Amino acid sequence: MIWLASFPRSGNTFVRNILKENYLLESSSYHLDDYELRADFADFPFVKTHLLPHQLPNKYAQNKSIYILRDGRDCIVSLAHYRRDLIDSSTDLHQNMVEAIQALQGSFLGGWHNHTIAWIRKADVIIRYEDLLQDPLGQIEKIGAVFNLPPRAKAEVSGIEKYRVDQQLYGSHYNRYDSYKPVDDFGKKFFRKGIAGSWREEMPQRIQDFFWARCGESMEMLGYERAGSHIAVSDFDDRIRQIRTQPKKRARILVDISKMADEKYDGVKRYVYNLVTQYQYLQWQDRLPFEIDLFLHKKIMPLDETVTLNNLHLEYENKLLDTKEKIKNILPKAVYRSLRFIYLKMQVRRALARFRELTLEKRWSFTKIGRSQSLKELLNSYALVHITLPQHMIFFKNILTTQLVTVHDLTHRIFPDYHTEDNRQRSQTGFEIMQKLKTNVLAVSHRTNQDMELYYPWERSSRVIYEGVDFEKFGPQYDRKRAAELRLKYGIGEEDYFFTLFTLEPRKNLRTVMEAFLVYKEKSPTSKTKLVVGGRKGWKADEMFKDHPDICYTGYIEDVDLAVLYSEAVVFCYLSIYEGFGLPPLESMACHTPVIYAANSSLQEILKDYAYGVAAKDVAAVAEAMERFASDQDYRTNMARRAYQHALGFTWLQCAHETLLYYRDLINIHEKQ
């Protein structure tokens, strides 16, 4: 018995039909699905399977094998159609593509990349689908290397058109996933077009980019080009031999995670945490193309320690906030203000930060830098250093290796009044070092990239890579008991509410949200809807607050609670004056909650018409939007549905893959210089 393996929708059934019709060779299949498996499957000369090599039964795991390879983009498009046309007609075609590319938690047989690489290393014969279409019998003859093919019983191959209508050939004419229910035109839906390159017309550009970010390296390795062409059949076998014999060499990357030591759990810290968490996930899957270490305040640590480190910082941060709140509640206001002034103006925060670093050094075993190797020498040993915040350039200003800096926004230049003098100076210093060293740039939005070109022009490589939504944390929540608990915990009550969330500081424009809410309440005096303001106090926060019985200030909201509070809201309001990206609106949309946003900066670029855009300071327009979402349930439901579908296109896994691809491109450029 010989395994006939392929990733789903790669032409396996086409090969089985040729073997049956032209060589009179029957075949069976082996699977782990719910429908019945033939007890005598191994008695056939060929056994079709889509499983990974390690999933095969031990008794037959070492049998000879044939692998059918197809352009992964065509596989993904065909899989998406198969799911919608033959399994669940309610699914969205493009979302089916995204899910098949993501292959989360081992779904879709680990994804096209994992499946293909695993079988390329194992298979004795590899047949490329594109070559099979051009010369079907010539490609089938390659099987002669592992099986003594009989003389042909038929000289010509019937082709896909016959397979679409002939019920005697392989390609079942019923839906196994729905109690073997017959499906009209099953053959036509199962075999579809039977051509190569249909992805060009059917896969949107954003999904093409997502696929290439995840699978581009293996596609190129196997001879598939991004534009759609592929290496000649005469060169393909040589390419496979090179892949199997070439030793695997991985470049070393250092990622700066110094932001994790910051007490603020803001958007930049989310970026660092989620990016590195995805690197850990890829490492666990053995799909990380580099050796990655992490840099934290002049110390280097292995990639797999980050999650615990993040939890440690959150624990410290929450305890500090609780202590501050308790002191505030105990002391008279005048005394508290005096102490607060001392805390802000003197070196207390710096001392606390240093205490935290010392605590970490005791609890974690960092890489030691001995006398024989300076920090500079160690940093220069990496192929690339990724600095995740320009302010951290101070740590890397003297190194010579390739540097990449993530730029989140340029508010220190565009809106300097929204920053403290200390923050402005640290930001400016970081960008000046970047300009001096001509570092490469990763911008989180096109708007941020444009601002970089305007304020800091220098010759460099730059790329826009969007941030994502953590779908393990954010999604629609329907647990009424949990919702009631959180409403009680944060003092919200049982009423409907508008929700806004950010670090409370002038740039976030809380004043407009509250003024619009008061206008809404005046025009709708019978409405019991509240305004819930979430987030810790930031710079000049006290100047923004308004006393009103229907405005609820929750303070800091724990991440584990956010999805429920997003889901419970009538609408999420985000009227920031400027954002480099803007994560909270997308997180709300992922929870099936519509958004009112300030149509400026990157927000308009990211959210588009999937949310309700208004001018940031237009109180009347915001109040009108609030009234519409509160009173028009059909409109709210439709906007929530569109918002959710849009949010699904932003994932941290995609961000990680695109960032890794950028690493590779920068390293290749450096090696050619």
Side-chain angles (χ1 to χ4, degrees):
M1 177 270 282
I2 293 175
W3 292 110
L4 192 60
S6 69
F7 188 74
R9 314 302 295 166
S10 294
N12 201 315
T13 303
F14 185 26
V15 172
R16 294 178 71 193
N17 281 323
I18 295 174
L19 289 170
K20 178 179 179 181
E21 187 177 16
N22 293 83
Y23 296 88
L24 304 180
L25 293 170
E26 298 278 351
S27 58
S28 63
S29 63
Y30 180 81
H31 54 79
L32 300 177
D33 295 324
D34 293 335
Y35 61 93
E36 185 178 357
L37 176 70
R38 291 187 62 142
D40 63 343
F41 76 89
D43 294 338
F44 289 77
F46 297 96
V47 178
K48 168 187 172 178
T49 188
H50 293 314
L51 298 179
L52 288 158
H54 73 269
Q55 295 175 309
L56 302 177
N58 291 334
K59 184 177 180 180
Y60 306 107
Q62 302 306 317
N63 284 37
K64 297 290 185 179
S65 58
I66 301 158
Y67 189 68
I68 304 158
L69 173 69
R70 186 183 188 185
D71 186 317
R73 293 163 292 193
D74 277 332
C75 293
I76 296 300
V77 169
S78 188
L79 259 177
H81 276 285
Y82 185 88
R83 183 179 180 189
R84 187 190 66 177
D85 299 342
L86 296 173
I87 299 177
D88 185 355
S89 61
S90 67
T91 59
D92 177 78
L93 183 66
H94 292 165
Q95 183 56 29
N96 289 347
M97 293 182 195
V98 171
E99 291 178 4
I101 296 169
Q102 287 178 311
L104 296 177
Q105 298 179 337
S107 60
F108 294 93
L109 301 154
W112 183 87
H113 167 92
N114 274 359
H115 196 280
T116 299
I117 296 304
W119 273 106
I120 289 293
R121 292 169 179 165
K122 173 180 172 55
D124 300 282
V125 175
I126 299 173
I127 296 174
R128 193 167 57 173
Y129 178 77
E130 293 78 14
D131 302 331
L132 188 67
L133 293 177
Q134 296 296 318
D135 181 20
L137 292 177
Q139 289 298 308
I140 293 297
E141 290 295 327
K142 292 172 69 175
I143 295 175
V146 293
F147 183 86
N148 187 21
L149 290 168
R152 295 176 195 165
K154 182 180 176 183
E156 300 294 329
V157 173
S158 298
I160 295 294
E161 284 305 314
K162 179 178 180 180
Y163 302 154
R164 286 160 64 93
V165 297
D166 192 336
Q167 297 191 21
Q168 302 305 311
L169 298 174
Y170 296 111
S172 53
H173 286 60
Y174 50 79
N175 187 350
R176 298 187 288 252
Y177 300 92
D178 190 10
S179 302
Y180 291 80
K181 179 181 177 181
V183 176
D184 294 336
D185 295 325
F186 190 99
K188 293 179 180 179
K189 294 176 180 177
F190 184 88
F191 287 103
R192 291 189 67 245
K193 296 182 179 181
I195 62 174
S198 64
W199 59 268
R200 293 183 181 89
E201 292 78 37
E202 298 191 73
M203 181 180 282
Q205 186 62 49
R206 65 181 178 86
I207 300 181
Q208 292 180 35
D209 293 342
F210 181 30
F211 174 84
W212 204 260
R214 178 148 188 157
C215 304
E217 185 174 9
S218 49
M219 286 281 287
E220 289 179 348
M221 182 174 64
L222 292 165
Y224 292 102
E225 296 182 3
R226 188 162 190 169
S229 60
H230 54 266
I231 59 174
V233 60
S234 57
D235 299 325
F236 180 67
D237 290 339
D238 289 338
R239 178 66 61 89
I240 295 299
R241 279 192 290 271
Q242 290 175 10
I243 293 171
R244 287 173 166 172
T245 58
Q246 187 174 7
K248 190 174 182 181
K249 182 180 178 181
R250 298 196 298 178
R252 296 174 66 234
I253 306 291
L254 185 67
V255 179
D256 162 45
I257 64 164
S258 300
K259 183 64 180 179
M260 298 303 297
D262 195 331
E263 66 180 45
K264 289 174 59 180
Y265 196 58
D266 57 10
V268 179
K269 191 168 181 178
R270 280 187 187 278
Y271 169 83
V272 175
Y273 170 67
N274 283 289
L275 182 67
V276 178
T277 298
Q278 294 304 319
Y279 289 170
Q280 287 181 309
Y281 170 71
L282 293 171
Q283 184 183 57
W284 174 73
Q285 281 197 326
D286 195 26
R287 291 197 53 197
L288 195 62
F290 305 104
E291 293 182 16
I292 293 182
D293 290 329
L294 307 168
F295 180 88
L296 178 67
H297 289 334
K298 299 186 180 181
K299 299 293 185 292
I300 293 173
M301 57 191 292
L303 175 63
D304 56 9
E305 291 190 16
T306 309
V307 170
T308 308
L309 180 63
N310 180 68
N311 292 338
L312 175 64
H313 285 307
L314 286 178
E315 177 186 355
Y316 169 88
E317 180 181 338
N318 290 333
K319 287 182 178 179
L320 182 60
L321 290 170
D322 288 343
T323 302
K324 288 180 182 178
E325 196 64 28
K326 288 176 182 177
I327 293 173
K328 181 180 178 180
N329 293 334
I330 294 172
L331 295 177
K333 287 186 178 180
V335 177
Y336 176 76
R337 289 196 189 101
S338 299
L339 291 175
R340 184 173 178 271
F341 177 82
I342 295 172
Y343 176 79
L344 293 174
K345 297 298 183 181
M346 298 183 70
Q347 303 299 316
V348 177
R349 283 197 285 188
R350 183 173 297 179
L352 288 172
R354 182 55 184 155
F355 171 76
R356 182 166 64 253
E357 291 175 30
L358 291 172
T359 302
L360 287 173
E361 290 177 8
K362 292 178 181 178
R363 294 188 61 174
W364 295 93
S365 55
F366 297 103
T367 299
K368 300 296 184 182
I369 303 173
R371 293 180 180 178
S372 62
Q373 187 178 34
S374 68
L375 177 60
K376 179 180 177 180
E377 291 173 337
L378 186 59
L379 295 178
N380 281 328
S381 69
Y382 289 92
L384 180 144
V385 175
H386 181 186
I387 299 100
T388 53
L389 188 65
Q391 288 90 321
H392 297 163
M393 280 301 301
I394 193 70
F395 298 125
F396 307 97
K397 62 181 180 180
N398 295 320
I399 66 173
L400 302 176
T401 193
T402 303
Q403 297 183 48
L404 170 65
V405 184
T406 298
V407 177
H408 302 272
D409 62 57
L410 279 80
T411 52
H412 73 286
R413 285 292 301 270
I414 302 170
F415 295 102
D417 291 343
Y418 290 152
H419 288 267
T420 64
E421 178 59 32
D422 177 63
N423 192 45
R424 282 197 301 269
Q425 186 57 50
R426 286 190 295 109
S427 298
Q428 182 62 22
T429 298
F431 280 96
E432 288 174 354
I433 297 173
M434 289 171 61
Q435 191 160 17
K436 180 181 179 180
L437 298 178
K438 293 182 170 54
T439 62
N440 305 295
V441 169
L442 188 164
V444 297
S445 67
H446 289 284
R447 176 56 185 268
T448 296
N449 202 37
Q450 292 164 8
D451 291 340
M452 277 294 297
E453 295 292 342
L454 177 63
Y455 290 98
Y456 298 101
W458 70 79
E459 185 178 348
R460 60 176 175 259
S461 172
S462 63
R463 188 170 298 182
V464 173
I465 299 177
Y466 286 153
E467 298 179 4
V469 176
D470 184 349
F471 287 100
E472 291 188 6
K473 289 182 179 177
F474 299 103
Q477 305 293 308
Y478 305 107
D479 187 338
R480 302 311 310 158
K481 181 180 178 182
R482 173 73 172 149
E485 291 172 351
L486 293 183
R487 283 174 172 270
L488 180 63
K489 175 180 177 179
Y490 291 105
I492 296 172
E494 298 179 357
E495 296 81 9
D496 289 342
Y497 62 87
F498 306 128
F499 189 32
T500 190
L501 173 77
F502 32 62
T503 300
L504 306 180
E505 58 185 39
R507 178 168 61 93
K508 301 301 185 179
N509 196 21
L510 175 60
R511 188 184 302 278
T512 298
V513 179
M514 291 192 293
E515 289 178 357
F517 176 71
L518 296 179
V519 171
Y520 162 76
K521 295 295 283 188
E522 288 177 8
K523 292 185 176 181
S524 306
T526 61
S527 172
K528 295 182 180 180
T529 305
K530 291 183 174 183
L531 173 64
V532 174
V533 180
R536 71 166 52 83
K537 292 182 181 180
W539 185 53
K540 294 186 177 181
D542 292 335
E543 300 174 9
M544 299 178 243
F545 287 4
K546 289 183 180 292
D547 290 328
H548 190 281
D550 288 335
I551 298 180
C552 171
Y553 301 101
T554 67
Y556 176 75
I557 298 175
E558 296 182 57
D559 252 25
V560 293
D561 298 337
L562 275 176
V564 174
L565 296 184
Y566 278 133
S567 299
E568 287 286 293
V570 172
V571 69
F572 180 70
C573 303
Y574 201 77
L575 301 179
S576 179
I577 300 298
Y578 176 97
E579 290 291 326
F581 185 81
L583 280 173
L586 279 177
E587 292 170 350
S588 173
M589 295 163 85
C591 295
H592 218 273
T593 296
V595 172
I596 301 169
Y597 75 98
N600 59 42
S601 58
S602 66
L603 293 174
Q604 196 163 20
E605 171 190 338
I606 303 300
L607 304 181
K608 301 179 181 178
D609 64 348
Y610 295 95
Y612 193 113
V614 296
K617 296 293 184 102
D618 193 338
V619 173
V622 178
E624 180 181 341
M626 288 177 170
E627 193 281 329
R628 185 170 188 184
F629 280 107
S631 62
D632 190 338
Q633 182 61 40
D634 290 341
Y635 177 73
R636 179 188 179 281
T637 300
N638 181 58
M639 287 297 288
R641 178 187 58 78
R642 296 182 68 245
Y644 178 71
Q645 289 294 327
H646 183 60
L648 291 174
F650 296 84
T651 71
W652 284 113
L653 188 58
Q654 178 177 355
C655 176
H657 277 293
E658 291 185 11
T659 304
L660 292 169
L661 188 62
Y662 194 16
Y663 293 170
R664 189 195 68 178
D665 292 344
L666 290 174
I667 291 171
N668 288 343
I669 291 171
H670 179 74
E671 289 177 347
K672 291 176 182 178
Q673 291 175 343

